[in-house]
Amino acid sequence: MFCYQCQETAQGKGCTIKGVCGKEPQTAALMDLLLYVTRGEAIVNSALREKGMADIRISRQLLDALFCTITNANFDDNAIKERIESALAMKTDLIKIAKKHSIVLPNCDEVNFFIHSSDYEKKAAEVGIMTEINEDIRSLKQLVAYGIKGAAAYAEHALNLGYEDEAIYAMIENALSKISRKDISADELTGLALGMGECGVKAMALLDKANTTFFGNPEITKVNIGVSSNPGILISGHDLKDMEELLEQTAGTGVDIYTHSEMLPAHYYPAFKKYPHFIGNYGNAWWKQREEFESFNGVILFTTNCLVPPLKSATYTNRIYTTGSAGLAGAKHIPARKDGKPKDFSALIEHAKKCLPPKEIEKGEIIGGFAHNQVLALADKVVDAVKSGAIKKFIVMAGCDGRMKSREYYTDFASALPKDTVILTAGCAKYRYNKLPLGDIGGIPRVLDAGQCNDSYSLVVIALALKEAFGLENVNELPIVYNIAWYEQKAVIVLLALLSLGIKNIHLGPTLPAFLSPNVTKVLVENFGIGGTSTVIEDIKNWI
Ligand code: SF4
Ligand code: SF3
């Protein structure tokens, strides 16, 4: 196997024996093959799109196929095999349609190949990342591929709420087709990466529209981090439609609902506040799940990434359920919605009733809900605070958390920031500092949490509004420093989105991606001022 798509890749180079994330070599191989099949489908659907005949079912299916290959989303080989089978079948049908209408398809292996399931392993060995020999082209193709995965994941969340955009599908499929080309140049791929950034902005904006239309605009909220005395279900991941249906189906059952990791921002939405059994957030970021799921005692539902395969000694394995693109061999999977009906969570609920209540690991509250609508409602106060000098700088610390010790940097950085600075955050990176007593500036908390990683979109909306309020020409003239923590491919699309909006001088840590070759890194440094991090003392001295 070879995989270097996430920040925790082995030795900062690539996982070759088994994933640090727990991904087994055969799972990695199946994912390589699934991605190869999706590229074939995308090539055919793009050719059909040129004639106005693209099949939207293919576009939807591609979102899920791409999403399930994201770091920590799916560890179920059978689920991936099923996706390969169905993708191959759909590709066959598409090719028949193209032939019927005399549409000429590129003569490439991605389009032409068909295999029996017994040959999956053999074929997978021929289609992995390293089949691209040129290091820089490989690097750029993977940068685009990871951006595609991130954009697809966000687009799928929007789709689950009934929101979709053909333009997003066209961009994803065009990019998948282009990275299949053997003759593509580094310049074309660089343009494609920025194009994916634009696609990321569209996907995050669409998801923001879907979430706020259905559940209202996030508002300032204090979230309980303690527990009740009832048994509970812990819901993790990013999918708010699953959240809503679970809350609805557990109402009055005596089972309480808690969020974990990236689901915390669900508490900020007005629509979810009406449920008295929606108790609070339990625990921290995804990587703490092995200890926190033990003490939670109840049922755990994964709606998306980030899932860590339990250890053999874990006692919570039989309490895990997955749904959507998430999967874990041996865990029960809740099937997709059918005929417009909600998912059926009754099995989890019955299971949860038999569980012990959660063990309390913390007490108190954390505050969040500072997405664009809420912050813009406070805009006058924020602008006045900047003009009076009470706020000297904003630090965007959005992104991911992870288990490496080097991430303590972010806690230390947040603690060491001068008291006249405000942190703007989104994503699970916040768990490194959202429980620190950082105080406020004239009533404005020093950590403003917009929500999930996709709510980085909110931070962009806020930055653009501040640019207007201060009458600036360029968003880079604002007193904002970007210190982004990345881990998986949703963070890659957020980064590409920021670059496509012209945001410069982003610091990316705790390490730069292993998939960036030295030459590609040089291009990013020269054109966008991308840099890494140093020590807390140095970085504060240089940036603030
Ligand atoms: Fe390694 Fe990350 Fe790939 Fe997992 S997702 S195999 S940890 S690079
Ligand atoms: Fe976190 Fe996985 Fe990336 Fe959604 S939940 S930001 S790491």
Side-chain angles (χ1 to χ4, degrees):
M1 70 176 282
F2 185 84
C3 181
Y4 61 177
Q5 67 176 353
C6 83
Q7 190 272 330
E8 292 189 357
T9 195
Q11 294 167 340
K13 291 198 172 114
C15 296
T16 54
I17 299 165
K18 182 183 169 169
V20 173
C21 60
K23 188 158 80 179
E24 298 288 345
Q26 75 275 6
T27 315
L30 287 169
M31 286 184 177
D32 285 347
L33 184 58
L34 178 57
L35 288 169
Y36 195 68
V37 188
T38 61
R39 301 215 306 262
E41 284 182 285
I43 293 168
V44 183
N45 214 28
S46 296
L48 287 170
R49 182 170 285 109
E50 278 177 27
K51 305 283 175 204
M53 293 174 62
D55 186 339
I56 201 158
R57 290 169 307 168
I58 298 289
S59 304
R60 292 171 184 157
Q61 174 256 337
L62 283 177
L63 298 184
D64 164 67
L66 293 160
F67 197 169
C68 85
T69 69
I70 275 189
T71 302
N72 287 345
N74 202 307
F75 296 88
D76 183 353
D77 291 356
N78 288 332
I80 297 160
K81 277 185 200 155
E82 278 170 24
R83 285 175 170 92
I84 294 172
E85 263 162 48
S86 95
L88 282 169
M90 288 175 98
K91 188 178 78 164
T92 309
D93 291 346
L94 264 193
I95 291 174
K96 277 189 200 146
I97 294 169
K99 282 199 176 134
K100 194 171 149 202
H101 294 273
S102 309
I103 295 172
V104 182
L105 298 173
N107 184 18
C108 60
D109 188 60
E110 284 88 342
V111 173
N112 298 334
F113 95 99
F114 287 95
I115 44 168
H116 187 264
S117 55
S118 56
D119 288 330
Y120 282 0
E121 219 171 292
K122 190 166 157 274
K123 184 72 186 173
E126 297 166 11
V127 301
I129 294 167
M130 295 312 248
T131 49
E132 175 57 65
I133 308 294
N134 181 307
E135 184 191 29
D136 298 327
I137 298 292
R138 180 167 68 231
S139 171
L140 285 164
K141 282 188 172 179
Q142 292 312 312
L143 174 63
V144 174
Y146 303 150
I148 293 172
K149 290 186 186 196
Y154 292 152
E156 181 169 281
H157 291 309
L159 173 62
N160 290 342
L161 289 164
Y163 279 70
E164 54 188 338
D165 180 351
E166 172 66 25
I168 294 175
Y169 295 158
M171 287 165 116
I172 288 177
E173 289 160 37
N174 173 52
L176 281 169
S177 310
K178 293 247 169 82
I179 59 171
S180 306
R181 269 178 45 202
K182 301 206 169 36
D183 60 345
I184 194 158
S185 69
D187 282 350
E188 279 177 280
L189 283 165
T190 308
L192 198 56
L194 288 181
M196 272 325 293
E198 284 166 33
C199 178
V201 176
K202 274 184 187 292
M204 283 190 274
L206 184 70
L207 179 53
D208 181 79
K209 192 169 169 208
N211 284 339
T212 54
T213 304
F214 270 87
F215 310 122
N217 272 299
E219 52 194 25
I220 302 177
T221 307
K222 285 184 177 155
V223 180
N224 167 36
I225 55 174
V227 299
S228 70
S229 54
N230 292 330
I233 296 175
L234 192 55
I235 172 167
S236 181
H238 304 66
D239 198 290
L240 296 184
K241 182 73 181 164
D242 289 336
M243 179 84 237
E244 180 191 41
E245 291 178 353
L246 183 66
L247 282 168
E248 201 51 46
Q249 291 175 36
T250 43
T253 62
V255 172
D256 287 341
I257 303 298
Y258 296 81
T259 52
H260 191 258
S261 192
E262 273 285 70
M263 201 53 100
L264 157 66
H267 293 277
Y268 311 156
Y269 287 88
F272 300 138
K273 294 187 175 173
K274 64 174 184 253
Y275 299 100
H277 66 298
F278 191 25
I279 300 297
N281 188 70
Y282 190 84
N284 294 280
W286 63 272
W287 61 277
K288 292 262 186 99
Q289 63 189 256
R290 280 184 174 159
E291 50 185 284
E292 292 173 353
F293 290 179
E294 290 288 1
S295 61
F296 182 72
N297 292 330
V299 166
I300 299 127
L301 174 65
F302 280 99
T303 64
T304 67
N305 60 318
C306 271
L307 195 169
V308 180
L311 295 172
K312 283 207 173 66
S313 57
T315 65
Y316 63 86
T317 311
N318 73 340
R319 292 190 263 122
I320 294 182
Y321 290 74
T322 59
T323 192
S325 303
L328 175 72
K332 288 149 233 97
H333 189 81
I334 304 299
R337 289 171 196 92
K338 235 179 147 185
D339 308 324
K341 294 206 185 84
K343 289 184 182 175
D344 178 5
F345 291 120
S346 56
L348 278 85
I349 300 166
E350 288 313 306
H351 188 163
K353 285 180 185 167
K354 296 183 201 119
C355 294
L356 289 171
K359 183 179 158 208
E360 191 153 76
I361 52 173
E362 300 174 288
K363 264 191 176 34
E365 288 173 333
I366 44 180
I367 190 166
F370 296 93
H372 55 85
N373 192 66
Q374 180 65 82
V375 175
L376 297 185
L378 301 170
D380 289 348
K381 212 172 165 184
V382 173
V383 170
D384 286 349
V386 175
K387 285 189 175 155
S388 72
I391 296 178
K392 185 176 153 210
K393 271 213 168 122
F394 296 94
I395 329 292
V396 172
M397 291 179 75
C400 310
D401 197 9
R403 61 202 128 192
M404 284 184 173
K405 202 168 159 41
S406 52
R407 294 205 185 238
E408 286 171 10
Y409 163 92
Y410 294 102
T411 310
D412 297 341
F413 184 89
S415 308
L417 278 169
K419 301 264 175 285
D420 54 4
T421 55
V422 170
I423 295 172
L424 302 174
T425 191
C428 60
K430 63 174 138 288
Y431 284 99
R432 287 283 167 180
Y433 42 80
N434 67 347
K435 293 170 187 169
L436 298 176
L438 296 179
D440 63 45
I441 298 175
I444 302 167
R446 288 196 50 234
V447 177
L448 299 182
D449 176 25
Q452 298 178 335
C453 46
N454 43 288
D455 295 310
S456 300
Y457 170 74
S458 257
L459 303 183
V460 169
V461 173
I462 293 166
L464 294 174
L466 288 177
K467 184 192 94 170
E468 293 301 316
F470 290 112
L472 299 172
E473 287 283 306
N474 187 317
V475 74
N476 293 303
E477 293 167 27
L478 282 166
I480 302 183
V481 172
Y482 293 83
N483 190 8
I484 309 266
W486 83 285
Y487 170 58
E488 37 76 40
Q489 299 78 55
K490 286 178 169 176
V492 174
I493 193 61
V494 170
L495 174 71
L496 292 177
L498 293 176
L499 296 184
S500 77
L501 290 166
I503 291 174
K504 297 236 179 340
N505 303 324
I506 295 171
H507 303 278
L508 194 61
T511 52
L512 290 179
F515 58 81
L516 295 181
S517 68
N519 285 332
V520 173
T521 306
K522 199 164 158 254
V523 169
L524 292 176
V525 172
E526 282 168 5
N527 295 332
F528 301 101
I530 289 225
T533 55
S534 168
T535 63
V536 168
I537 293 174
E538 276 297 304
D539 289 346
I540 289 188
K541 190 174 89 196
N542 292 334
W543 306 342
I544 310 297

